[in-house]
Amino acid sequence: MSLDGKVAVVTGAALGIGKAMTEILLQNGAKVALLDVNETAGKSLCEALMKQYGQEKTLFLSCDIQSEEQTKAALKKTSEVFGGIDILCNNAGILNENTWEKTVSINLMGVIRSTYLALEHMNKLNGGRGGVIVNTASMAGLGPLPSCPVYTATKHGVVGFTRAMAAASSASGYGIRVNAVCPSFVQTELFANILDKLGQFSHLADATKGMVEKFGTLSVSQVAECLLELVTDETKNGEALVVTPQMKKYMTFVNTIQ
Ligand SMILES: NC(=O)C1=CN([C@@H]2O[C@H](COP(=O)(O)OP(=O)(O)OC[C@H]3O[C@@H](n4cnc5c(N)ncnc54)[C@H](O)[C@@H]3O)[C@@H](O)[C@H]2O)C=CC1
Ligand SMILES: CCCCCC(=O)CC\C=C/C=C/C=C/[C@@H](O)[C@@H](O)CCCC(=O)O
């Protein structure tokens, strides 16, 4: 799939992985709506990207994906300004075992909310153009991170939601592919601050550091390259693409109930 003329929405676009996703989408010809709760960082990035790619290519919308109203309004504005939505990157997320309800609210409920609201614009059965949704899960969506059980649960939920939505879309004729990218550790603000976010599991910080040493850390650009692959390869639907500094592979899921 060529990105020329396509319209993408990136949640959590202001920093980290979302910023890199935004940049690679713009580099490949897409228009991008940047959604983020951090207005200062979002507006600053959008202004810089407008200078680099043109005013007509980017739009920043202040949006907390925990809010149905804000998310609905941001997607509506994106469609009004750019003429539709072809790509949704559900990237916004936090890690904080101290505020685990908020972690669930953003990481899982926010992904579900953004997906369902975007379907109203993307679904071919609703007059949409179809397209692709990529959810930023994590390797913690495929196996446990003992120091952050709730974060792990949210990412497992994102992987399961991705696979089920992909199957539902295919069976229903929505014309929308749904995939997940599952990075190991990535050099971002979220990663830099994890030691303060482990709550009752802070005593497991050293074990987590050991896993960081084992898996290594990715750059945000490496994750953005995976996004581009999942967006442009139209054969990919229901996939979980795992990426570490050492390898990149599509997960094989075994249906144990057989
Ligand atoms: N950094 C890492 O090691 C890894 C991160 N991930 C996932 O990647 C995604 C992005 O994380 P990073 O770039 O590392 O974090 P980050 O903290 O650098 O950036 C996250 C962005 O999301 C925004 N955001 C947070 N809550 C929001 C909300 N309710 N509504 C809208 N925007 C919101 C923040 O303002 C920020 O701009 C997250 O889903 C995270 O779980 C996955 C694997 C590894
Ligand atoms: C605690 C920091 C989280 C930062 C945000 C992330 O999502 C990073 C996730 C990175 C790696 C997750 C690895 C999970 C590994 C488990 O699935 C399991 O394979 C580990 C087995 C034990 C080991 O290999 O050390």
Side-chain angles (χ1 to χ4, degrees), residues 222 225-226 229 241-244 246-250:
Q222 288 174 291
E225 289 293 341
C226 292
E229 180 174 322
L241 179 55
V242 183
V243 57
T244 78
Q246 298 80 21
M247 62 94 183
K248 183 176 75 165
K249 70 171 183 176
Y250 287 93

Side-chain angles (χ1 to χ4, degrees), residues 198-212:
L198 302 182
Q200 61 183 302
F201 304 102
S202 297
H203 59 283
L204 299 179
D206 286 346
T208 304
K209 288 176 186 173
M211 291 176 72
V212 174

Side-chain angles (χ1 to χ4, degrees), residues 152-202:
T152 295
T154 66
K155 294 304 184 178
H156 273 67
V158 169
V159 171
F161 180 68
T162 299
R163 297 179 65 213
M165 275 306 305
S169 175
S170 177
S172 307
Y174 293 171
I176 300 169
R177 297 181 289 114
V178 190
N179 295 298
V181 59
C182 300
S184 61
F185 304 100
V186 188
Q187 286 293 358
T188 68
E189 284 197 16
L190 179 148
F191 176 69
N193 298 323
I194 57 174
L195 295 183
D196 301 330
K197 310 292 185 184
L198 302 182
Q200 61 183 302
F201 304 102
S202 297

Side-chain angles (χ1 to χ4, degrees), residues 4-247:
D4 283 338
K6 293 293 192 294
V7 176
V9 173
V10 180
T11 70
L15 298 172
I17 293 168
K19 177 180 175 186
M21 289 179 168
T22 298
E23 289 168 338
I24 203 167
L25 289 164
L26 286 165
Q27 286 160 12
N28 284 272
K31 296 177 181 176
V32 184
L34 291 71
L35 275 49
D36 205 297
V37 71
N38 185 331
E39 279 199 60
T40 305
K43 284 179 177 175
S44 172
L45 174 60
C46 194
E47 284 167 15
L49 294 173
M50 281 181 171
K51 288 174 184 167
Q52 187 172 358
Y53 295 98
Q55 292 240 349
E56 75 288 354
K57 290 284 192 169
T58 65
L59 169 68
F60 173 73
L61 297 165
S62 177
C63 174
D64 181 341
I65 62 168
Q66 298 178 94
S67 163
E68 182 89 1
E69 180 187 0
Q70 292 182 32
T71 307
K72 192 176 184 80
L75 294 171
K76 181 173 182 284
K77 184 69 175 177
T78 301
S79 279
E80 288 170 352
V81 171
F82 289 147
I85 297 172
D86 304 289
I87 301 161
L88 171 64
C89 302
N90 281 316
N91 170 75
I94 67 169
L95 188 158
N96 194 331
E97 297 295 314
N98 295 300
T99 58
W100 64 266
E101 295 96 332
K102 184 176 180 182
T103 301
V104 174
S105 176
I106 294 168
N107 293 12
L108 181 55
M109 293 171 67
V111 168
I112 297 166
R113 176 176 296 107
S114 301
T115 298
Y116 284 175
L117 290 172
L119 286 180
E120 295 172 20
H121 299 268
M122 298 173 71
N123 189 342
K124 284 187 172 178
L125 304 184
N126 288 347
R129 305 189 289 242
V132 58
I133 297 172
V134 180
N135 299 321
T136 306
S138 163
M139 267 185 74
L142 301 166
L145 269 175
S147 57
C148 33
V150 171
Y151 179 84
T152 295
T154 66
K155 294 304 184 178
H156 273 67
V158 169
V159 171
F161 180 68
T162 299
R163 297 179 65 213
M165 275 306 305
S169 175
S170 177
S172 307
Y174 293 171
I176 300 169
R177 297 181 289 114
V178 190
N179 295 298
V181 59
C182 300
S184 61
F185 304 100
V186 188
Q187 286 293 358
T188 68
E189 284 197 16
L190 179 148
F191 176 69
N193 298 323
I194 57 174
L195 295 183
D196 301 330
K197 310 292 185 184
L198 302 182
Q200 61 183 302
F201 304 102
S202 297
H203 59 283
L204 299 179
D206 286 346
T208 304
K209 288 176 186 173
M211 291 176 72
V212 174
E213 287 166 20
K214 172 183 172 134
F215 289 106
T217 54
L218 292 155
S219 69
V220 291
S221 299
Q222 288 174 291
V223 182
E225 289 293 341
C226 292
L227 168 81
L228 187 65
E229 180 174 322
L230 289 168
V231 165
T232 54
D233 185 342
E234 295 183 274
T235 69
K236 302 304 182 193
N237 185 40
E239 301 283 0
L241 179 55
V242 183
V243 57
T244 78
Q246 298 80 21
M247 62 94 183

